[in-house]
């Protein structure tokens, strides 16, 4: 399979100065996993392919696009000329904020292991897709690489196109700045269930032993009220590490869940203990089953807006428990410029606190957005899979006042599109661009990548390992969202929304949802099992087991 990656800066690209990600020593002998990514040198030279997003207006009816001007319209298929010289019409643009959350997949696996199908409203396909390692090339400096590839599905003219974005690997331990972490721990009655508060205690204790002496930790607990159990404490000063352990060991379940009070007190503690030159982060560990005080994410986060905006304190949400307030935790993370994950076992917790947390603490990009432009001469219809609550208006792609996603070192972000290619079409298929702000200077930067129609020659089931895993995870999420036998809202037959565009009709996909060429769960389980056997990948083995369980439950 061919991959196309073109990276070029827009305007003057200043060197990003974000410090390296937090590495927790002792987690493994090799440090933080880079998710199988290959290190690649960053090429900052300009390229000849166009940027997908129309530039800002230059005059009546004119737009800047790849250094030129145009009327901003689109040619009809068959019209002479290169359509890539013309800014695509809005129908051919897809824009979304980046998202590296994985909680939806983790919670679905927990629910299935308990013998239940997950509520379709908790299934977010992008979080299933982004739960798996990808081998995208990485830049050797700050910023992103953009890789675009794809393959054909079993439905005529339909393909899956994958947009992969990757940041540099996390820096070595001796290069990272100190960390100032405020842990906000839910000690409400619901956390007394085995695998909740005890898992939090164990995880925090392990992490405390592995942090460096110049790191700092604060601890806030909440039930019906919130309490700062330990102010910001540097681990290497006096009995600092011992005081943190004492505070963790004292955690006991209490009454109701006043999540709003916990978050507010946590942010206040983080701001009070904020360290210049350090990574300042609130880590919320909770089942997010709020039943006292404010239970609305917007209201909760609005009260701590100054901490987010003025002090740059961001939020990392760690979900626990068989009953879990998925929607509230996700909204808190989105509003708090952060991310979510979910843990249900000691192994999950070790991965989160020893591997994922380093990639979630330090930022290499703020307000990151992606925009994909599909060529109207080769593409008849397309649809972004997932990212339902991360969509951004196309005109806001370069409006840096509009919120995007926050991405740290060592991350990969994957977006998958279902694309119907015009019969016999050949040539340019799409251009993907990512735009982000330097975390410190707020200077904007962009990188782009292209894909041609001849990249779609293989079947998705014969594609490379990464794309097959992506497709399998997406098909699984699609099936779970339609697991009641009726198309879930936003899925199935979308109706004819016009010849082009993001709402095109895939046709009758039956009970297994909206993605073209979607196999039944039985077939999908067999394909996932074979893929896991060939690759010896434990993460893929877990995916195959989850699909098999879902198949039995349906």
């Amino acid at each position: 399979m061919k991959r196309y990656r073109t990276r070029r800066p827009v305007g003057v690209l200043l060197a990003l100065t974000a410090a390296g990600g937090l590495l927790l020593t002792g987690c493994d002998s090799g440090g933080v996993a880079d998710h199988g990514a290959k290190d690649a040198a960053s090429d900052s030279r300009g390229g000849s392919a166009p940027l997908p997003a129309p530039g800002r207006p230059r005059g009546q009816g004119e737009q800047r696009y790849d250094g030129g001007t145009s009327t901003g319209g689109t040619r009809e298929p068959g019209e002479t000329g290169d359509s890539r010289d013309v800014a695509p019409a809005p129908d051919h643009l897809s824009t979304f904020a980046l998202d590296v959350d994985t909680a939806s997949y983790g919670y679905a696996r927990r629910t299935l292991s308990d013998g239940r199908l997950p509520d379709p409203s908790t299934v977010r396909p992008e979080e299933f897709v982004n739960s798996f390692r990808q081998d995208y090339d990485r830049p050797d400096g700050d910023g992103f690489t953009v890789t675009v590839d794809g393959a054909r599905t079993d439905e005529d003219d339909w393909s899956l196109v994958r947009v992969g974005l990757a940041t540099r690997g996390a820096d070595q331990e001796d290069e990272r700045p100190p960390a100032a972490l405020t842990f906000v721990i839910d000690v409400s009655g619901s956390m007394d269930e085995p695998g909740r508060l005890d898992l939090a205690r164990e995880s925090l204790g392990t992490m405390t032993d592995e942090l460096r002496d110049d790191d700092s930790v604060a601890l806030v607990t909440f039930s019906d009220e919130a309490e700062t159990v330990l102010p910001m404490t540097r681990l290497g000063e006096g009995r600092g590490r011992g005081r943190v352990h004492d505070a963790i060991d004292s955690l006991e379940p209490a009454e109701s869940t006043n999540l709003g009070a916990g978050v507010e007190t946590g942010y206040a503690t983080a701001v009070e203990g904020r360290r210049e030159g350090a990574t300042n982060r609130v880590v919320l560990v909770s089942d997010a089953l709020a039943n006292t005080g404010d239970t609305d994410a917007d209201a909760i986060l609005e009260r701590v807006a100054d901490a987010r905006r003025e002090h740059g304190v961001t939020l990392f949400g760690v979900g626990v428990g068989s009953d879990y307030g998925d929607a509230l935790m996700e909204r808190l993370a989105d509003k708090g410029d952060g991310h979510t994950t979910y843990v249900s076992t000691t192994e999950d917790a070790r991965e989160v606190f020893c591997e994922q947390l380093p990639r979630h603490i330090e930022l290499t990009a703020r307000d990151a957005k992606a925009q994909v432009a599909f060529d109207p001469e080769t593409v008849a219809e397309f649809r972004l899979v997932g990212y339902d609550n991360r969509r951004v208006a196309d005109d806001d792609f370069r409006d840096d006042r509009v919120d995007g996603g926050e991405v740290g070192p060592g991350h990969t972000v994957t977006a998958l599109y279902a694309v119907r290619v015009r019969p016999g079409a050949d040539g340019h298929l799409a251009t993907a661009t990512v735009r982000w702000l330097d975390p410190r200077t707020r200077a904007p930067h962009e990188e782009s990548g292209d894909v041609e129609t001849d990249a779609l020659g293989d079947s998705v089931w014969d594609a490379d390992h990464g794309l097959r895993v992506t497709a399998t995870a997406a098909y699984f999420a699609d099936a779970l969202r339609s697991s009641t036998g009726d198309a879930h809202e936003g899925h199935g037959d979308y109706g004819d929304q016009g010849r082009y565009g993001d709402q095109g009709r895939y046709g009758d996909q039956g009970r297994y949802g909206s993605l073209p060429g979607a196999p039944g769960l039985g077939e999908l389980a067999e394909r996932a099992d074979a893929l896991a056997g060939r690759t010896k990948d434990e993460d893929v083995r877990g995916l195959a087991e989850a699909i098999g369980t879902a198949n039995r439950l349906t």
Side-chain angles (χ1 to χ4, degrees):
M1 170 173 297
K2 295 184 180 179
R3 294 189 180 187
Y4 295 82
R5 178 170 58 85
T6 304
R7 292 178 281 115
R8 52 189 171 278
V10 176
V12 179
L13 294 187
L14 301 176
L16 297 183
T17 56
L22 172 64
L23 296 180
L24 307 182
T25 61
C27 293
D28 56 61
S29 60
V32 174
D34 66 0
H35 276 219
K38 298 174 290 185
D39 290 330
S42 177
D43 183 0
S44 61
R45 293 171 295 179
S48 59
L51 293 174
R56 301 191 184 282
R58 303 183 70 236
Q60 185 65 34
E62 292 187 334
Q63 296 176 321
R64 158 113 16 216
Y65 189 63
D66 191 32
T69 62
S70 79
T71 61
T74 57
R75 293 185 180 90
E76 289 299 313
E79 187 174 340
T80 59
D82 185 355
S83 66
R84 286 174 289 170
D85 294 336
V86 182
D91 281 348
H92 280 79
L93 295 176
S94 172
T95 309
F96 59 95
L98 301 196
D99 189 355
V100 294
D101 292 351
T102 61
S104 176
Y105 175 68
Y107 185 48
R109 288 188 63 194
R110 167 63 185 265
T111 304
L112 289 165
S113 70
D114 288 343
R116 298 177 289 126
L117 289 171
D119 185 327
S121 68
T122 68
V123 176
R124 293 180 291 278
E126 72 277 13
E127 297 187 23
F128 278 54
V129 165
N130 281 302
S131 294
F132 296 92
R133 300 170 181 171
Q134 299 292 343
D135 64 348
Y136 306 133
D137 288 347
R138 294 185 186 268
D140 58 359
D142 289 315
F144 289 87
T145 56
V146 182
T147 302
V148 192
D149 59 9
R152 294 179 291 103
T153 73
D154 292 339
E155 185 172 339
D156 288 345
D157 300 327
W158 282 96
S159 296
L160 297 181
V161 173
R162 181 177 63 159
V163 177
L165 310 172
T167 59
R168 60 172 168 80
D171 289 339
Q172 295 301 310
E173 170 71 10
D174 59 356
E175 296 177 346
R176 72 164 175 87
L181 307 177
T182 301
F183 288 91
V184 180
I185 311 299
D186 186 347
V187 295
S188 62
S190 61
M191 290 289 288
D192 197 23
E193 173 191 300
R196 296 194 188 192
L197 188 56
D198 55 346
L199 190 60
R201 288 195 204 95
E202 181 180 353
S203 301
L204 293 175
T206 299
M207 185 173 179
T208 298
D209 288 336
E210 294 168 345
L211 288 170
R212 295 188 328 200
D213 286 346
D214 61 346
D215 294 326
S216 300
V217 170
L219 189 65
V220 171
T221 62
F222 67 93
S223 53
D224 54 336
E225 296 180 345
E227 176 187 4
T228 300
V229 176
L230 183 73
M232 195 63 71
T233 300
R234 193 165 302 199
L235 297 179
E237 292 184 354
R239 281 196 68 251
R241 204 176 299 270
R243 291 173 61 199
V244 174
H245 276 295
D246 290 344
I248 293 170
D249 293 341
S250 72
L251 298 178
E252 295 292 341
E255 300 297 331
S256 54
T257 308
N258 192 337
L259 184 59
V263 172
E264 184 173 10
T265 303
Y267 271 89
T269 301
V271 170
E272 183 178 355
R274 182 177 181 273
R275 292 175 56 185
E276 291 291 339
T279 297
N280 296 272
R281 173 63 64 101
V282 168
V283 181
L284 172 64
V285 182
S286 174
D287 59 16
L289 298 176
N291 53 29
T292 302
D294 279 335
T295 60
D296 177 73
D298 290 354
I300 293 171
L301 268 299
E302 185 58 35
R303 297 205 306 272
V304 296
D306 289 345
R308 294 187 295 125
R309 296 167 187 159
E310 296 180 17
H311 302 289
V313 178
T314 53
L315 179 69
F316 179 36
V318 181
V320 295
S322 57
D323 292 321
Y324 170 53
D326 170 79
L328 179 57
M329 183 69 92
E330 187 208 14
R331 185 67 178 148
L332 282 169
D334 286 347
K335 294 290 289 184
D337 293 338
H339 317 291
T340 63
T341 191
Y342 178 86
V343 301
S344 61
T345 66
T346 301
E347 291 74 17
D348 288 344
R350 186 172 184 81
E351 180 179 356
V352 165
F353 288 98
C354 289
E355 295 184 25
Q356 290 186 20
L357 190 56
R359 296 192 297 275
H360 286 288
I361 288 181
E362 186 61 27
L363 295 180
T364 56
R366 278 193 178 274
D367 291 323
K369 307 172 199 146
Q371 186 168 83
V372 182
F374 291 92
D375 194 318
E377 291 193 353
T378 56
V379 174
E381 302 175 56
F382 67 90
R383 185 169 183 84
L384 175 62
V385 179
Y387 291 91
D388 299 330
N389 61 357
R390 306 292 284 168
R391 306 295 173 93
V392 175
D394 296 331
D395 290 343
D396 289 337
F397 177 60
R398 291 196 173 100
D399 185 344
D400 296 326
R401 298 167 298 179
V402 175
D403 189 44
E406 278 59 48
V407 182
H411 274 128
T412 62
V413 182
T414 299
L416 193 68
Y417 285 87
V419 178
R420 184 166 70 85
V421 179
R422 297 184 182 282
D426 183 49
H428 178 256
L429 187 79
T431 300
T433 295
V434 58
R435 180 180 178 89
W436 73 97
L437 303 181
D438 182 302
R440 295 190 178 184
T441 67
R442 309 289 294 186
H445 305 268
E446 292 184 9
E447 297 281 359
S448 293
D450 300 283
V451 65
E452 305 286 317
T453 55
D454 63 0
L456 307 178
D458 295 332
S459 164
V460 69
W461 304 118
D462 295 323
D464 71 10
H465 162 75
L467 183 52
R468 275 180 290 165
V469 172
T470 296
T472 302
Y475 279 133
F476 182 35
D478 199 52
L480 291 177
R481 294 182 88 171
S482 305
S483 59
T484 59
D486 296 319
H488 188 248
E489 181 180 356
H491 293 266
D493 191 335
Y494 292 99
D496 187 359
Q497 299 295 327
R499 206 169 33 151
Y500 304 128
D502 185 285
Q503 300 293 326
R505 180 163 56 98
Y506 294 127
D508 184 7
Q509 299 299 323
R511 67 172 294 187
Y512 289 111
S514 64
L515 280 180
L521 276 173
E523 179 186 345
L524 190 63
E526 292 177 0
R527 291 190 179 278
D529 188 67
L531 183 59
R534 284 194 297 272
T535 62
K536 309 300 182 184
D537 187 323
E538 289 303 315
D539 291 335
V540 180
R541 172 57 59 195
L543 174 62
E545 292 172 354
I547 297 172
T549 301
N551 183 46
R552 291 189 293 273
L553 290 174
T554 55

